[in-house]
Amino acid sequence: MQIFEYNGSALVAMVGKNCFAIASDRRLGVQLQTIATDFQKIYKIHEKLFIGLSGLATDAQTLYQRLVFRHKLYQLREERDMKPETFASLVSAILYEKRFGPYFCQPVIAGLGDEDKPFICTMDSIGAKELAKDFVVAGTASESLYGACESMFKPDMDAEELFETISQALLSSVDRDCLSGWGGHVYVVTPTEVTERILKGRMD
Amino acid sequence: MESVFGLVGKDFAIVAADSSAVHSILVHKTNEDKIMLLDSHKLMGASGETGDRAQFTEYIQKNVALYQFRNGIPLTTAAAANFTRGELATALRKNPYMVNIIMAGHDKDVGPSLYFIDYIASLHKLDKAAFGYGSYFALSMMDRHYRKDMTVEEAIDLVDKVIMEIRSRLVVAPPNFVIKIVDKDGAREYAWRESIKDAPVPAV
């Protein structure tokens, strides 16, 4: 029994022209059994910062609660929102704290930094950051996602085209993974607005 | 193996559980009540390790009561579910409770709600949920026949269909079930479904 494959998940984030998109599947399972088809894996930290948590659902929920706590405390002390780069370092530090008893999660962080420059990164379950300029992926469908994103991605897409690209990449990848799927959840974030859309894919 | 399942109807929620207490090949009793009343408007059906189940559910029940004593108002169902998840999550990496929980409650503003909490503290709000070997039959039966806003009669009919399915198709099927309901008038026992009655013990 693989602990990272207990609940099933698929996460992807992509950079566009002055915008980013982050998408996840919607399945919550217990190994072969599907429990829910509306499970949320992407959380908003603030208007321009989102984090997706793949891996074990219980650890994703615990980790999210800890991160929200830390960010709220930061907001009270600094009187501003955290920059995505700073937040990524915070997540990395929190994960490494549990180096010898880790959270079984792989986060995907996406945000708009200074001058609304898009920022994405992922890290492993002990906090090794991986910054990328184009896309990052995580979850049980990550290998399929790498292939789909590599072939479909082009730089400097606008919000509409980015939404189409990330949606197609997500849906085609989760169709090859039995542990993720049952629809998709896509957030497209520009400096002025956040669009949240639900995708209907193969419901199986 | 123990079966617990539950569903949400129009302004009420139902939780049903088998009532056999089994130790290896021996059936200790067939009228064990595995659904605890947490307070006037909350039910908690639990399955799993017998000692953990009894101790943990009582611990949650007493803490829910303590909150009401200290603060003068009862916990909402969502708050009680999140508290339970917190306790399971804290114990998870020290001394885990092997208890799967279906919590149902009725709040004046929100109406009925049902929460799935598995033994590794994954929490999700659902309309229908099930645990145990019986879940393979319960979830399929409920996927087929469940509709939103069912009446009590329709919901009990579905519960009976599930119980019949478990009795006929599960190899070591539990003979007896208890059904409890929670609605605006409170949480209470609704019925027992017995196919075997324990021999009555004469009063001393």
Side-chain angles (χ1 to χ4, degrees):
Chain A
M1 197 260 287
Q2 302 277 48
I3 194 86
F4 282 101
E5 287 155 23
Y6 189 74
N7 294 123
S9 51
L11 276 172
V12 55
M14 274 189 190
V15 167
K17 194 166 179 62
N18 300 325
C19 63
F20 69 84
I22 182 167
S24 75
D25 73 319
R26 305 190 77 202
R27 179 182 181 269
L28 173 71
V30 171
Q31 293 182 303
L32 61 103
Q33 191 177 56
T34 299
I35 301 294
T37 56
D38 59 356
F39 188 67
Q40 191 186 16
K41 294 168 200 180
I42 298 174
Y43 301 99
K44 185 174 90 163
I45 302 293
H46 62 76
E47 279 306 315
K48 293 182 179 174
L49 180 58
F50 286 75
I51 181 167
L53 290 163
S54 71
L56 198 61
T58 178
D59 282 350
Q61 288 176 329
T62 303
L63 192 57
Y64 164 66
Q65 287 172 345
R66 285 193 67 189
L67 291 170
V68 158
F69 169 71
R70 292 297 298 267
H71 184 255
K72 282 186 175 175
L73 213 50
Y74 183 93
Q75 275 177 325
L76 286 170
R77 289 175 175 150
E78 298 267 328
E79 293 179 356
R80 63 179 179 87
D81 291 329
M82 234 188 227
K83 279 190 259 191
E85 294 85 356
T86 317
F87 185 71
S89 295
L90 172 68
V91 178
S92 174
I94 285 178
L95 289 172
Y96 197 79
E97 256 180 352
K98 303 273 183 200
R99 170 65 177 83
F100 298 108
Y103 290 117
F104 298 108
C105 288
Q106 214 189 336
V108 162
I109 296 163
L112 293 174
D114 283 335
E115 278 132 46
D116 292 329
K117 184 163 182 297
F119 169 87
I120 53 168
C121 86
T122 184
M123 53 193 83
D124 68 4
S125 60
I126 47 174
K129 258 187 286 185
E130 188 196 303
L131 306 171
K133 292 201 168 61
D134 41 16
F135 56 85
V136 288
V137 302
T140 49
S142 59
E143 279 141 1
S144 301
L145 279 164
Y146 273 124
C149 290
E150 197 66 65
S151 52
M152 295 186 197
F153 181 82
K154 29 186 234 288
D156 290 329
M157 288 185 277
D158 64 16
E160 274 307 304
E161 204 187 346
L162 188 64
F163 166 69
E164 284 302 325
T165 309
I166 202 175
S167 305
Q168 290 300 330
L170 180 73
L171 288 178
S172 58
S173 307
V174 302
D175 284 348
R176 281 290 184 182
D177 178 20
C178 54
L179 296 175
S180 54
W182 283 96
H185 210 137
V186 186
Y187 292 84
V188 180
V189 182
T190 66
T192 46
E193 62 165 358
V194 173
T195 330
E196 182 186 337
R197 293 186 186 92
I198 308 274
L199 303 173
K200 187 154 194 240
R202 276 183 68 104
M203 305 304 235
D204 65 2
Chain B
M1 212 249 175
E2 308 182 354
S3 307
V4 189
F5 60 95
L7 54 112
V8 172
K10 186 172 181 57
D11 226 35
F12 67 92
I14 284 179
V15 178
D18 77 292
S19 54
S20 45
V22 168
H23 210 108
S24 172
I25 57 166
L26 175 67
V27 179
H28 279 299
K29 60 195 292 224
T30 54
N31 57 359
E32 170 88 355
D33 186 355
K34 297 175 192 170
I35 307 178
M36 186 160 269
L37 263 55
L38 290 185
D39 71 9
S40 61
H41 285 76
K42 284 179 207 38
L43 289 175
M44 183 158 78
S47 75
E49 192 79 53
T50 316
D52 281 351
R53 171 173 52 76
Q55 297 284 53
F56 184 73
T57 54
E58 204 175 302
Y59 173 69
I60 298 296
Q61 186 192 54
K62 299 316 174 199
N63 271 282
V64 167
L66 184 62
Y67 181 94
Q68 180 152 10
F69 285 132
R70 280 182 173 154
N71 299 290
I73 53 163
L75 277 169
T76 61
T77 312
N82 274 288
F83 169 70
T84 306
R85 186 205 104 81
E87 291 301 306
L88 285 168
T90 311
L92 180 63
R93 283 171 155 89
K94 296 178 183 135
N95 188 7
Y97 294 107
M98 307 295 285
V99 195
N100 297 311
I101 284 163
I102 292 182
M103 190 178 290
H106 187 281
D107 306 299
K108 254 207 282 277
D109 45 353
V110 174
S113 45
L114 188 85
Y115 289 89
F116 162 103
I117 311 168
D118 81 357
Y119 74 100
I120 47 172
S122 313
L123 170 73
H124 197 53
K125 185 173 182 300
L126 288 167
D127 284 337
K128 47 186 169 9
F131 280 111
Y133 285 125
S135 69
Y136 292 113
F137 310 104
L139 286 174
S140 304
M141 217 55 190
M142 292 194 286
D143 282 342
R144 171 69 181 84
H145 294 291
Y146 177 86
R147 291 175 329 274
K148 277 190 90 71
D149 295 333
M150 292 197 293
T151 63
V152 179
E153 289 73 31
E154 289 168 339
I156 291 295
D157 192 52
L158 176 51
V159 167
D160 281 330
K161 280 198 173 77
V162 170
I163 290 173
M164 230 168 14
E165 199 64 18
I166 293 174
R167 275 191 184 144
S168 57
R169 290 297 187 181
L170 188 56
V171 61
V172 204
N176 298 343
F177 285 80
V178 60
I179 305 172
K180 295 199 182 180
I181 189 170
V182 60
D183 59 17
K184 64 174 178 14
D185 301 321
R188 58 194 179 280
E189 194 177 281
Y190 183 88
W192 285 79
R193 298 286 186 246
E194 288 172 314
S195 54
I196 287 178
K197 268 194 107 62
D198 273 340
V201 177
V204 185

Short mmCIF file of all heavy atoms in Angstrom, two decimals, chain B residues 137-163:
data_model
loop_
_atom_site.label_atom_id
_atom_site.label_comp_id
_atom_site.label_asym_id
_atom_site.label_seq_id
_atom_site.Cartn_x
_atom_site.Cartn_y
_atom_site.Cartn_z
N PHE B 137 -21.71 -2.49 -0.81
CA PHE B 137 -23.11 -2.64 -1.20
C PHE B 137 -23.90 -1.36 -0.91
O PHE B 137 -24.74 -0.96 -1.70
CB PHE B 137 -23.73 -3.82 -0.45
CG PHE B 137 -22.90 -5.07 -0.54
CD1 PHE B 137 -22.13 -5.51 0.52
CD2 PHE B 137 -22.87 -5.79 -1.73
CE1 PHE B 137 -21.34 -6.64 0.42
CE2 PHE B 137 -22.09 -6.93 -1.83
CZ PHE B 137 -21.32 -7.35 -0.76
N ALA B 138 -23.60 -0.74 0.23
CA ALA B 138 -24.36 0.45 0.64
C ALA B 138 -24.18 1.59 -0.36
O ALA B 138 -25.15 2.22 -0.78
CB ALA B 138 -23.93 0.89 2.04
N LEU B 139 -22.92 1.88 -0.74
CA LEU B 139 -22.68 3.01 -1.63
C LEU B 139 -23.31 2.78 -3.01
O LEU B 139 -23.90 3.70 -3.58
CB LEU B 139 -21.17 3.27 -1.77
CG LEU B 139 -20.53 3.93 -0.56
CD1 LEU B 139 -19.02 4.00 -0.72
CD2 LEU B 139 -21.09 5.33 -0.33
N SER B 140 -23.19 1.57 -3.51
CA SER B 140 -23.80 1.29 -4.82
C SER B 140 -25.31 1.43 -4.77
O SER B 140 -25.92 2.02 -5.66
CB SER B 140 -23.44 -0.13 -5.27
OG SER B 140 -22.06 -0.29 -5.28
N MET B 141 -25.90 0.87 -3.70
CA MET B 141 -27.36 0.95 -3.54
C MET B 141 -27.81 2.40 -3.43
O MET B 141 -28.79 2.83 -4.05
CB MET B 141 -27.75 0.20 -2.26
CG MET B 141 -29.01 -0.57 -2.33
SD MET B 141 -28.99 -1.71 -3.69
CE MET B 141 -30.68 -2.20 -3.67
N MET B 142 -27.07 3.19 -2.64
CA MET B 142 -27.43 4.60 -2.46
C MET B 142 -27.15 5.39 -3.74
O MET B 142 -27.92 6.27 -4.11
CB MET B 142 -26.69 5.20 -1.26
CG MET B 142 -27.16 4.61 0.06
SD MET B 142 -26.65 5.52 1.52
CE MET B 142 -24.95 5.11 1.64
N ASP B 143 -26.09 5.09 -4.46
CA ASP B 143 -25.85 5.78 -5.74
C ASP B 143 -27.02 5.58 -6.69
O ASP B 143 -27.39 6.48 -7.45
CB ASP B 143 -24.57 5.26 -6.41
CG ASP B 143 -23.31 5.84 -5.77
OD1 ASP B 143 -23.42 6.86 -5.08
OD2 ASP B 143 -22.23 5.25 -5.98
N ARG B 144 -27.60 4.38 -6.65
CA ARG B 144 -28.68 4.07 -7.57
C ARG B 144 -29.99 4.73 -7.15
O ARG B 144 -30.72 5.28 -7.97
CB ARG B 144 -28.84 2.54 -7.62
CG ARG B 144 -30.06 2.03 -8.36
CD ARG B 144 -29.97 2.27 -9.85
NE ARG B 144 -31.15 1.80 -10.54
CZ ARG B 144 -32.28 2.49 -10.67
NH1 ARG B 144 -32.37 3.69 -10.14
NH2 ARG B 144 -33.30 1.98 -11.32
N HIS B 145 -30.34 4.68 -5.85
CA HIS B 145 -31.68 5.07 -5.42
C HIS B 145 -31.77 6.42 -4.72
O HIS B 145 -32.86 6.93 -4.53
CB HIS B 145 -32.25 4.00 -4.47
CG HIS B 145 -32.49 2.68 -5.14
ND1 HIS B 145 -33.48 2.49 -6.07
CD2 HIS B 145 -31.86 1.49 -5.02
CE1 HIS B 145 -33.44 1.23 -6.49
NE2 HIS B 145 -32.47 0.60 -5.88
N TYR B 146 -30.63 7.00 -4.32
CA TYR B 146 -30.69 8.24 -3.54
C TYR B 146 -31.08 9.42 -4.41
O TYR B 146 -30.62 9.56 -5.54
CB TYR B 146 -29.32 8.50 -2.90
CG TYR B 146 -29.24 9.80 -2.13
CD1 TYR B 146 -29.64 9.85 -0.80
CD2 TYR B 146 -28.77 10.96 -2.73
CE1 TYR B 146 -29.58 11.03 -0.09
CE2 TYR B 146 -28.71 12.14 -2.02
CZ TYR B 146 -29.11 12.17 -0.70
OH TYR B 146 -29.05 13.35 -0.01
N ARG B 147 -31.94 10.29 -3.87
CA ARG B 147 -32.24 11.58 -4.51
C ARG B 147 -32.15 12.63 -3.43
O ARG B 147 -32.27 12.34 -2.24
CB ARG B 147 -33.66 11.59 -5.09
CG ARG B 147 -33.88 10.69 -6.26
CD ARG B 147 -35.36 10.67 -6.68
NE ARG B 147 -36.29 10.86 -5.58
CZ ARG B 147 -36.75 9.90 -4.80
NH1 ARG B 147 -36.35 8.65 -4.96
NH2 ARG B 147 -37.60 10.17 -3.83
N LYS B 148 -31.97 13.87 -3.83
CA LYS B 148 -31.95 14.95 -2.85
C LYS B 148 -33.35 15.13 -2.28
O LYS B 148 -34.34 14.90 -2.95
CB LYS B 148 -31.52 16.26 -3.52
CG LYS B 148 -30.01 16.38 -3.62
CD LYS B 148 -29.58 17.76 -4.04
CE LYS B 148 -29.34 18.69 -2.86
NZ LYS B 148 -28.14 18.38 -2.09
N ASP B 149 -33.43 15.57 -1.00
CA ASP B 149 -34.72 15.89 -0.37
C ASP B 149 -35.70 14.73 -0.37
O ASP B 149 -36.87 14.89 -0.74
CB ASP B 149 -35.37 17.11 -1.06
CG ASP B 149 -34.53 18.35 -0.85
OD1 ASP B 149 -33.80 18.40 0.18
OD2 ASP B 149 -34.59 19.25 -1.69
N MET B 150 -35.24 13.56 0.06
CA MET B 150 -36.18 12.44 0.23
C MET B 150 -36.96 12.62 1.52
O MET B 150 -36.48 13.25 2.46
CB MET B 150 -35.40 11.11 0.30
CG MET B 150 -34.75 10.74 -1.01
SD MET B 150 -34.28 9.01 -1.07
CE MET B 150 -33.03 8.94 0.12
N THR B 151 -38.16 12.03 1.58
CA THR B 151 -38.92 12.04 2.84
C THR B 151 -38.37 10.94 3.74
O THR B 151 -37.60 10.08 3.29
CB THR B 151 -40.40 11.76 2.59
OG1 THR B 151 -40.51 10.43 2.04
CG2 THR B 151 -41.00 12.76 1.64
N VAL B 152 -38.82 10.96 5.00
CA VAL B 152 -38.34 9.95 5.96
C VAL B 152 -38.70 8.55 5.46
O VAL B 152 -37.89 7.62 5.52
CB VAL B 152 -38.92 10.19 7.37
CG1 VAL B 152 -38.43 9.13 8.33
CG2 VAL B 152 -38.50 11.57 7.88
N GLU B 153 -39.92 8.40 4.95
CA GLU B 153 -40.37 7.07 4.48
C GLU B 153 -39.48 6.58 3.35
O GLU B 153 -39.07 5.43 3.32
CB GLU B 153 -41.81 7.12 3.99
CG GLU B 153 -42.87 7.30 5.07
CD GLU B 153 -42.88 8.71 5.64
OE1 GLU B 153 -42.57 9.66 4.89
OE2 GLU B 153 -43.17 8.86 6.84
N GLU B 154 -39.20 7.48 2.39
CA GLU B 154 -38.35 7.08 1.25
C GLU B 154 -36.94 6.73 1.72
O GLU B 154 -36.34 5.76 1.26
CB GLU B 154 -38.27 8.23 0.23
CG GLU B 154 -39.55 8.45 -0.53
CD GLU B 154 -39.53 9.76 -1.32
OE1 GLU B 154 -38.74 10.66 -0.98
OE2 GLU B 154 -40.32 9.86 -2.27
N ALA B 155 -36.42 7.52 2.67
CA ALA B 155 -35.06 7.28 3.15
C ALA B 155 -34.98 5.96 3.92
O ALA B 155 -34.03 5.19 3.73
CB ALA B 155 -34.62 8.43 4.04
N ILE B 156 -35.97 5.69 4.76
CA ILE B 156 -35.97 4.42 5.51
C ILE B 156 -36.11 3.25 4.55
O ILE B 156 -35.50 2.19 4.73
CB ILE B 156 -37.08 4.42 6.57
CG1 ILE B 156 -36.75 5.43 7.66
CG2 ILE B 156 -37.28 3.04 7.17
CD1 ILE B 156 -35.53 5.10 8.48
N ASP B 157 -36.88 3.45 3.50
CA ASP B 157 -37.02 2.41 2.48
C ASP B 157 -35.66 2.11 1.84
O ASP B 157 -35.29 0.95 1.65
CB ASP B 157 -38.00 2.91 1.42
CG ASP B 157 -38.42 1.80 0.50
OD1 ASP B 157 -38.86 0.75 1.02
OD2 ASP B 157 -38.30 1.96 -0.73
N LEU B 158 -34.89 3.17 1.57
CA LEU B 158 -33.56 2.98 1.00
C LEU B 158 -32.64 2.30 2.00
O LEU B 158 -31.88 1.38 1.65
CB LEU B 158 -32.98 4.35 0.57
CG LEU B 158 -31.56 4.37 0.02
CD1 LEU B 158 -31.36 3.36 -1.08
CD2 LEU B 158 -31.23 5.76 -0.48
N VAL B 159 -32.72 2.71 3.27
CA VAL B 159 -31.91 2.07 4.32
C VAL B 159 -32.23 0.58 4.40
O VAL B 159 -31.33 -0.26 4.50
CB VAL B 159 -32.15 2.76 5.68
CG1 VAL B 159 -31.59 1.94 6.83
CG2 VAL B 159 -31.53 4.14 5.69
N ASP B 160 -33.52 0.26 4.32
CA ASP B 160 -33.91 -1.16 4.37
C ASP B 160 -33.40 -1.92 3.15
O ASP B 160 -32.97 -3.08 3.26
CB ASP B 160 -35.43 -1.28 4.46
CG ASP B 160 -35.92 -1.04 5.88
OD1 ASP B 160 -35.16 -1.34 6.82
OD2 ASP B 160 -37.06 -0.56 6.05
N LYS B 161 -33.40 -1.26 2.00
CA LYS B 161 -32.86 -1.91 0.79
C LYS B 161 -31.38 -2.22 1.00
O LYS B 161 -30.90 -3.30 0.63
CB LYS B 161 -32.99 -0.98 -0.42
CG LYS B 161 -34.34 -0.91 -1.08
CD LYS B 161 -34.19 -0.31 -2.49
CE LYS B 161 -35.45 -0.35 -3.29
NZ LYS B 161 -36.43 0.68 -2.90
N VAL B 162 -30.65 -1.26 1.59
CA VAL B 162 -29.22 -1.45 1.83
C VAL B 162 -29.01 -2.61 2.80
O VAL B 162 -28.15 -3.48 2.58
CB VAL B 162 -28.59 -0.15 2.39
CG1 VAL B 162 -27.18 -0.41 2.87
CG2 VAL B 162 -28.59 0.94 1.34
N ILE B 163 -29.79 -2.63 3.88
CA ILE B 163 -29.64 -3.69 4.89
C ILE B 163 -29.92 -5.05 4.26
O ILE B 163 -29.20 -6.02 4.50
CB ILE B 163 -30.58 -3.42 6.09
CG1 ILE B 163 -30.08 -2.21 6.88
CG2 ILE B 163 -30.67 -4.64 7.00
CD1 ILE B 163 -30.99 -1.76 7.99
#
